[in-house]
Amino acid sequence: MKTTLPVMLATVALAPLSTSVWAEIERQHGAHEHGAAQLSLAVDQHELVIALESPAFNVFGFEHAPSTEEQHQAIDAAVATLRDGEALWTLSRAAGCELESVEIESAVLGDDHDHDEDADHDHDHDHEAGDAHSDVDVSWHFHCDNPEKLTQVGVGLFNAFERFEDLDVQYLTDDAQGAAELSPSHTLLTLE
């Protein structure tokens, strides 16, 4: 799996917050619960990284390598939706954020699928199609001209993927850090 500097920065920046938040998430949801997912958001200088970790079921409707034409079509449609980060995320207009890249990782995708739209992909990760529980990890990388003006993030995952029921969020900006829980009836993250 290719790791970029913004992803590493987001991971390191969120680590102090993540210990207590993720412990609570694990207690409430377990390691793999259909309908539930974790979202991390980090701003470092002019870079915004939004990272999703979800059971593959929430995105694709199944957690194994596709075996029918219908399943292949479901994967293609889901990947196209995930790549349209500007439709999935409504960012404060004043922040001037523009999508730069999207990275998608899942054993469900197999080796034939293009996981990273902007770079060569390293196929060193496991593709265990028979796994009982497969996840999907997605990261959206934005460049923001005025990151200090990023005060809200509208989350379109619930509209795009009907299987999402609960999204546990942790975020870190230059001015704020915190956690929130989003649902289909509460899709706006306020960074305060």
Side-chain angles (χ1 to χ4, degrees), residues 5-185:
L5 180 59
V7 171
M8 289 188 300
L9 291 172
T11 303
V12 170
L14 291 171
L17 176 65
S18 67
T19 303
S20 62
V21 172
W22 287 114
E24 180 64 14
I25 290 169
E26 290 292 323
R27 186 190 68 73
Q28 290 179 0
H29 297 292
H32 185 96
E33 180 183 337
H34 293 180
Q38 291 78 42
L39 187 73
S40 300
L41 183 145
V43 177
D44 181 48
Q45 296 181 7
H46 290 278
E47 297 298 316
L48 163 65
V49 177
I50 301 174
L52 173 70
E53 182 181 336
S54 171
F57 178 80
N58 296 346
V59 176
F60 305 119
F62 51 91
E63 296 187 321
H64 54 79
S67 58
T68 67
E69 184 60 31
E70 182 179 82
Q71 290 175 341
H72 282 282
Q73 290 173 356
I75 285 177
D76 290 343
V79 167
T81 300
L82 291 170
R83 291 213 180 281
D84 191 4
E86 292 175 341
L88 287 176
W89 311 106
T90 305
L91 306 174
S92 304
R93 185 177 302 267
C97 298
E98 184 177 323
L99 183 66
E100 291 184 326
S101 67
V102 178
E103 297 175 15
I104 305 169
E105 292 287 332
S106 179
V108 172
L109 296 175
D111 288 329
D112 296 333
H113 226 281
D114 174 29
H115 308 290
D116 185 344
E117 74 177 13
D118 288 338
D120 292 330
H121 181 68
D122 185 359
H123 289 284
D124 291 338
H125 55 282
D126 291 336
H127 287 284
E128 298 294 331
D131 283 352
H133 298 292
S134 294
D135 290 332
V136 61
D137 297 310
V138 186
S139 60
W140 294 266
H141 302 256
F142 293 85
H143 175 82
C144 300
D145 292 332
N146 304 301
E148 70 281 358
K149 295 184 179 180
L150 182 64
T151 59
Q152 294 184 325
V153 177
V155 178
L157 289 171
F158 298 103
N159 289 332
F161 300 100
E162 64 186 29
R163 292 175 195 87
F164 279 102
E165 299 169 7
D166 176 50
L167 194 58
D168 292 306
V169 183
Q170 58 180 347
Y171 61 89
L172 178 67
T173 70
D174 287 336
D175 300 322
Q177 71 176 11
E181 187 169 324
L182 301 179
S183 67
S185 62

